[in-house]
Amino acid sequence: MKNLSLIFLVLLILQNATAQKLTPSEVKAFKAVALTFDNPLSRTLIIRKWSTPIYYKIYGTENAEYDKAVQQEAASAFKQIRQLTGLQIKQVMADDSVNFKIMIGEPAKLAGLLSPELLSYFKKGGMFYYTTNQSGISSITSIVNPKQYTQRPHVRTIVQIQIGNGIGLFGKITYTDNSIFSATPTVLPINFKPEDALRIKTLYNPKILHGMTGKEVDEVLKGIE
């Protein structure tokens, strides 16, 4: 009965996210998280999103209980994203097919799994690294550092943040503390908050395209019901 109630709650959240139209404040929040600079030398903000299936793998280096916690939280987050977006998302074991890597461990302990460039980036405090091509996001590498996230609620929060960022919502909202996309997130619940679900679903509206500028997004959002 408890499981049925949980399923109903998830479906209700997803239904509400589907039915809502973005208010002016939600448009502002969506653009804040969905638009990022085209490149370090550019002042043009653009949309980034996946147009290919996501094949994710979790590389565990800690104890079995911690690895299992990350696995479960990632599976829950990806399931909700799959329902919201229609993206094809699958956990895989073969390294040659992975395009979304979640690595558990301190950066120094992951040297054998990372290129020298990525190892240096993560040692300097980076949380995730992405690449893109003309079609969209092409790869994500993220790290869950067990020394920083020791309790299960904190593991859930960092996994949701990294996966939420990894689907293309890289920006931060500075005026709220209760969101996957907050600059200062609090502990997050298992099920995405309705406002976060709405932002995720909006990004993957078929009318929102990879590479769109802010002005182009404004025009599209006017017509989204």
Side-chain angles (χ1 to χ4, degrees):
M1 192 65 154
K2 184 177 180 181
N3 289 338
L4 288 175
S5 299
L6 181 61
I7 292 171
F8 177 76
L9 178 61
V10 172
L11 291 175
L12 182 62
I13 290 173
L14 299 183
Q15 183 179 12
N16 288 340
T18 302
Q20 283 181 298
K21 181 175 181 178
L22 272 67
T23 64
S25 62
E26 277 297 339
V27 169
K28 178 183 177 181
F30 172 72
K31 291 174 66 178
V33 298
L35 292 164
T36 52
F37 289 118
D38 188 13
N39 62 66
L41 300 178
S42 171
R43 302 307 296 174
T44 302
L45 297 169
I46 65 168
I47 291 287
R48 289 184 173 88
K49 60 190 290 188
W50 289 84
S51 61
T52 60
I54 293 175
Y55 298 110
Y56 77 94
K57 180 176 179 178
I58 297 170
Y59 297 78
T61 61
E62 289 300 304
N63 61 66
E65 184 178 356
Y66 195 94
D67 290 356
K68 183 178 179 181
V70 176
Q71 291 272 5
Q72 291 174 339
E73 297 299 345
S76 173
F78 275 124
K79 181 179 179 180
Q80 293 178 76
I81 288 170
R82 187 186 300 114
Q83 293 171 323
L84 287 165
T85 66
L87 280 171
Q88 296 181 54
I89 302 173
K90 183 179 180 181
Q91 185 173 12
V92 297
M93 299 306 296
D95 289 335
D96 59 356
S97 60
V98 177
N99 55 18
F100 199 122
K101 298 178 180 180
I102 300 174
M103 298 185 171
I104 305 171
E106 298 173 77
K109 294 181 179 180
L110 298 171
L113 297 173
L114 298 169
S115 68
E117 293 79 12
L118 278 182
L119 181 59
S120 175
Y121 170 76
F122 286 119
K123 280 184 174 181
K124 292 176 181 177
M127 290 177 55
F128 66 93
Y129 181 88
Y130 69 93
T131 62
T132 62
N133 55 35
Q134 290 185 342
S135 300
I137 299 170
S138 55
S139 74
I140 293 286
T141 302
S142 67
I143 284 183
V144 176
N145 189 334
K147 298 298 182 182
Q148 294 178 316
Y149 310 101
T150 57
Q151 303 300 314
R152 182 63 180 262
H154 299 137
V155 172
R156 176 190 313 127
T157 298
I158 190 58
V159 169
Q160 286 189 9
I161 289 170
Q162 292 191 350
I163 291 176
N165 292 162
I167 62 168
L169 296 168
F170 298 118
K172 297 296 180 185
I173 303 172
T174 58
Y175 47 85
T176 181
D177 62 356
N178 62 344
S179 168
I180 293 172
F181 313 108
S182 171
T184 55
T186 57
V187 171
L188 296 170
I190 294 173
N191 299 314
F192 294 163
K193 292 175 174 287
E195 58 267 31
D196 283 341
L198 181 60
R199 291 160 193 154
I200 293 167
K201 187 171 182 65
T202 300
L203 178 64
Y204 281 87
N205 185 297
K207 295 179 181 178
I208 301 288
L209 304 178
H210 175 77
M212 274 187 167
T213 64
K215 288 183 179 180
E216 292 171 327
V217 169
D218 284 335
E219 289 302 312
V220 171
L221 292 179
K222 289 177 183 179
I224 292 180
E225 296 294 334

